[in-house]
Amino acid sequence: MAPIDISARHGGDRVADVLRAHGVRCVYTLCGGHISPILSAARACGIRVVDVRDEAAAVFAADAAARLSGLPGVAAVTAGPGITNTITALKNAQLAQSPLLLLGGAAPTALQGRGALQDIDQRPLVEPHVKRFFKLRRVRELGPAVEEAFALARSGVPGPVFVECPVDLLYDEPSIRQWYAEAGGKGRSLADRALRWYLDRHVRRMFERSGDAAPSQVREVGVPVAGDAALGAALRALAGARQPLAVIGSQSVVNATEVDRVAQAVATLGIPVYLSGMARGLLGRDHPLQVRHQRRQALREADCVLLAGVPCDFRLDYGRHVRRSATLIAANRSARDAKLNRRPNVLALGDAGRFLQALAERTLQRLPQAGAAQRGEWLAALRARDALREAEIDGQAQVHGERVNPLALLRALEREAGENALFVADGGDFVATASYVLHPRAPLGWLDPGAFGTLGVGAGFAIGAATVRPGREVWIVFGDGACGFGLAEFDTFVRHGIPVIAVVGNDAGWTQIAREQVKMLHDDVGTVLARTAYHEVARGFGAEGLLVTRGDEVVGALQRARELARQGRPVLVNVWLDRTDFREGSLSM
């Protein structure tokens, strides 16, 4: 291709204009020639460009940015393998209902299907994992497609949207015309002249009416709201319940700007509540209504269960955790999720967070006093169980071994992490243990992959969190298996000044799998890792690395890690763990 005239406006500018109009502050990427104009234009108009070491990390970062801001996160990757590398992260965002925009490069429009560099049919690979796949053929389509993608990502059930941007739509018109003219050659045969005629017509069509672009506009996206009939039925069911229970999930906080109002609504409802996914931390660290342990038993005892943004999937044993005689209220944007495996008695089809707010506004001040007394006894019983379980965990944390007790480590992390800490969870056994011990400090203070159970989200999530919430103390809680997916992103942390603290629970194995595999099959094949020096790898990328092999080193290392992070330096704390039976029998299907 001929040299590019950087003074001329191009398709990348059209994309960047829309990003800026929508308030995008950061684009996450791994560079490629197919998308270079987008990245250059984004930086030119003041949008931060964070380049990572794996395309999946770029999408994970956009996912986290969306969850924490409520606005679609934006990732841009090159064609072919750049896009195929994002599939797992895209599917994770889809199942987590995260609104994000993936801009993907593509081969020149005239060369698609002819063996061009990195040219594949991207639609069948990507389309099943996004709300819509935009395949563009004209320069004038770029801006409107990105505008529509932003609106679509947020509407209804949120999710990822893909916009395919062929490289010849992104560079400036004179350069592309010259490139196609050179591709047509100077031969005088009939075939040569026919080729030049075809290419000239193709370029005219590509740029036809490209000067007619209107200024970028932000499209209003309405929030789906459940009807009055569902609201009234839910109010009556809750008013008549003696042992009501709420389970609140990620979809309740998809409107990030409303989380404080959702939290107040839950407090006003006055019923015991379990928080899951992104809703963890909604009520702060130690709210009297929040229950943390023995959820299965509580659900089997409750006479009215409100599921707010939570489907009856494997996490609720496909609905079997809720007893059949209980009144089930399901508030969800997705009719499929609301009815999954268990038909609710009350279907509130709409935003779960808005439904909780509507419930709080309309009722619970009129609940019968006798019922209120019964509910007080119910909450006291649940909290007594919680206290007993916490005491059991404390006892197990006191067990000393050759290395570090994972429960003792997590208890120390809970004490030492700052009040503005944001936890990113990436792993199996160690992270599942952490979910029992760590208490998110505030709404939107916890990030985990969601229903897909994806390993490898940690580094990308941390990048998204740190760029959207730069004042927060970001901790990655890594299993040693999951850590291997994102270690190279310590290079990204260093280059972009992202002071993440990563704590690696290093028990030298894929322990969540090994627990049941060894017991059932008497074989540890594929589950054994080494006590790898992850801290030295971090140092090799220019970060700080700390090694902890004994329990008496834990507190000092965590305090040192916080000090380093306050200095703007990313740090990895590699902690050698003892094995425990804390999560025996944890296999999920």
Side-chain angles (χ1 to χ4, degrees):
M1 184 179 288
I4 301 299
D5 177 7
I6 60 173
S7 65
R9 279 185 58 83
H10 49 64
D13 293 309
R14 294 168 184 260
V15 174
D17 287 345
V18 179
L19 301 185
R20 179 173 54 183
H22 284 76
V24 174
R25 297 182 179 180
C26 190
V27 171
Y28 309 97
T29 190
L30 198 161
C31 68
H34 292 90
I35 59 165
S36 292
I38 296 175
L39 305 182
S40 177
R43 185 165 71 169
C45 69
I47 297 172
R48 184 178 182 183
V49 177
V50 175
D51 57 309
V52 299
R53 300 301 299 271
D54 184 319
E55 287 91 354
V59 177
F60 286 136
D63 183 343
R67 299 189 199 193
L68 294 173
S69 69
L71 300 174
V74 180
V77 300
T78 198
I83 287 168
T84 60
N85 284 343
T86 70
I87 297 299
T88 296
L90 270 179
K91 175 57 73 173
N92 191 80
Q94 182 192 53
L95 294 181
Q97 300 176 351
S98 291
L100 67 84
L101 169 61
L102 178 59
L103 302 168
T109 52
L111 296 181
Q112 291 179 11
R114 298 182 60 197
L117 175 66
Q118 298 181 332
D119 178 33
I120 57 172
D121 185 359
Q122 296 171 159
R123 183 189 292 275
L125 290 170
V126 175
E127 196 167 43
H129 315 298
V130 296
K131 294 185 71 175
R132 183 169 170 187
F133 183 108
F134 287 84
K135 188 174 183 68
L136 308 184
R137 308 293 293 179
R138 306 284 187 269
V139 172
R140 69 173 183 267
E141 297 169 347
L142 282 165
V146 176
E147 289 177 3
E148 187 174 352
F150 267 103
L152 186 58
R154 297 176 61 196
S155 65
V157 179
V161 180
F162 181 87
V163 179
E164 183 182 80
C165 304
V167 63
D168 50 349
L169 303 188
L170 294 178
Y171 283 94
D172 65 283
E173 183 174 355
S175 298
I176 294 301
R177 286 188 176 279
Q178 182 177 347
W179 181 80
Y180 272 106
E182 292 172 354
K186 297 182 179 180
R188 304 181 65 82
S189 70
L190 181 61
D192 290 331
R193 285 181 287 169
L195 174 62
R196 285 194 293 273
W197 174 84
Y198 167 78
L199 292 177
D200 182 64
R201 185 184 67 163
H202 182 83
V203 173
R204 286 201 311 272
R205 288 182 173 180
M206 275 200 317
F207 287 97
E208 187 177 31
R209 293 170 46 204
S210 60
D212 298 343
S216 298
Q217 295 183 345
V218 178
R219 305 186 187 189
E220 292 295 326
V221 177
V223 177
V225 178
D228 285 343
L231 181 60
L235 290 171
R236 291 189 293 273
L238 289 169
R242 291 182 175 273
Q243 295 186 169
L245 192 68
V247 183
I248 298 177
S250 299
Q251 199 191 87
S252 298
V253 295
V254 70
N255 293 321
T257 58
E258 296 186 5
V259 291
D260 290 336
R261 293 197 289 275
V262 174
Q264 182 58 51
V266 175
T268 301
L269 290 177
I271 64 176
V273 59
Y274 286 91
L275 302 174
S276 65
M278 283 294 297
R280 287 169 57 90
L282 180 65
L283 298 180
R285 204 165 181 173
D286 291 300
H287 196 281
L289 289 176
Q290 183 174 352
V291 194
R292 299 181 184 278
H293 304 296
Q294 311 292 348
R295 187 175 72 178
R296 178 182 302 185
Q297 184 176 350
L299 284 168
R300 288 175 174 169
E301 294 171 350
D303 58 1
C304 181
V305 175
L306 167 60
L307 300 182
V310 177
C312 286
D313 58 14
F314 71 94
R315 293 167 291 185
L316 294 181
D317 196 21
Y318 309 98
R320 289 190 290 268
H321 285 177
V322 181
R323 74 186 193 193
R324 285 292 168 186
S325 61
T327 300
L328 179 60
I329 306 165
N332 207 296
R333 290 187 178 215
S334 165
R336 177 187 179 276
D337 283 358
K339 300 174 184 177
L340 186 66
N341 297 311
R342 176 80 179 264
R343 185 170 292 274
N345 303 92
V346 179
L347 172 60
L349 197 57
D351 181 72
R354 290 283 178 90
F355 185 71
L356 290 169
Q357 293 176 62
L359 282 175
E361 289 170 3
R362 291 263 306 258
T363 176
L364 296 176
Q365 301 166 355
R366 298 186 307 233
L367 290 174
Q369 291 302 310
Q374 182 73 24
R375 285 189 294 275
E377 295 174 6
W378 164 237
L379 176 58
L382 294 175
R383 290 190 62 81
R385 274 188 215 156
D386 255 25
L388 180 61
R389 183 60 172 139
E390 290 289 339
E392 291 173 351
I393 294 173
D394 281 337
Q396 291 171 294
Q398 298 303 315
V399 176
H400 297 287
E402 181 183 2
R403 301 301 181 190
V404 178
N405 183 321
L407 288 167
L409 166 62
L410 292 164
R411 282 290 199 224
L413 177 53
E414 167 64 18
R415 291 191 303 270
E416 297 297 331
E419 285 305 308
N420 69 339
L422 191 157
F423 297 113
V424 175
D426 187 10
D429 191 76
F430 180 59
V431 165
T433 300
S435 69
Y436 286 86
V437 178
L438 296 181
H439 296 183
R441 277 64 171 139
L444 305 179
W446 176 272
L447 284 165
D448 63 29
F452 205 29
T454 309
L455 295 183
V457 302
F461 275 13
I463 291 166
T467 49
V468 169
R469 299 292 174 88
R472 298 289 290 271
E473 184 178 277
V474 179
W475 295 78
I476 310 175
V477 182
F478 266 137
D480 54 340
C483 171
F485 286 87
L487 266 176
E489 299 304 338
F490 269 85
D491 172 73
T492 305
F493 299 152
V494 171
R495 287 184 296 107
H496 289 278
I498 298 174
V500 166
I501 307 170
V503 177
V504 180
N506 188 346
D507 58 7
W510 298 94
T511 304
Q512 179 152 311
I513 306 305
R515 284 186 187 281
E516 300 304 312
Q517 178 177 311
V518 173
K519 183 168 64 177
M520 296 171 67
L521 303 177
H522 311 291
D523 193 342
D524 65 0
V525 60
T527 68
V528 179
L529 297 172
R531 297 276 189 186
T532 301
Y534 301 110
H535 57 292
E536 294 184 4
V537 178
R539 289 174 190 162
F541 283 117
E544 299 290 337
L546 306 175
L547 175 64
V548 175
T549 62
R550 302 193 317 271
D552 59 2
E553 300 171 337
V554 168
V555 172
L558 296 178
Q559 292 175 346
R560 175 61 177 156
R562 290 190 70 203
E563 180 184 343
L564 290 167
R566 285 193 292 267
Q567 296 171 12
R569 297 153 76 180
V571 57
L572 183 147
V573 186
N574 183 16
V575 186
W576 286 15
L577 299 181
D578 280 325
R579 299 292 180 95
T580 74
D581 59 1
F582 179 73
R583 297 191 62 253
E584 199 68 32
S586 58
L587 185 66
S588 295
M589 293 188 182

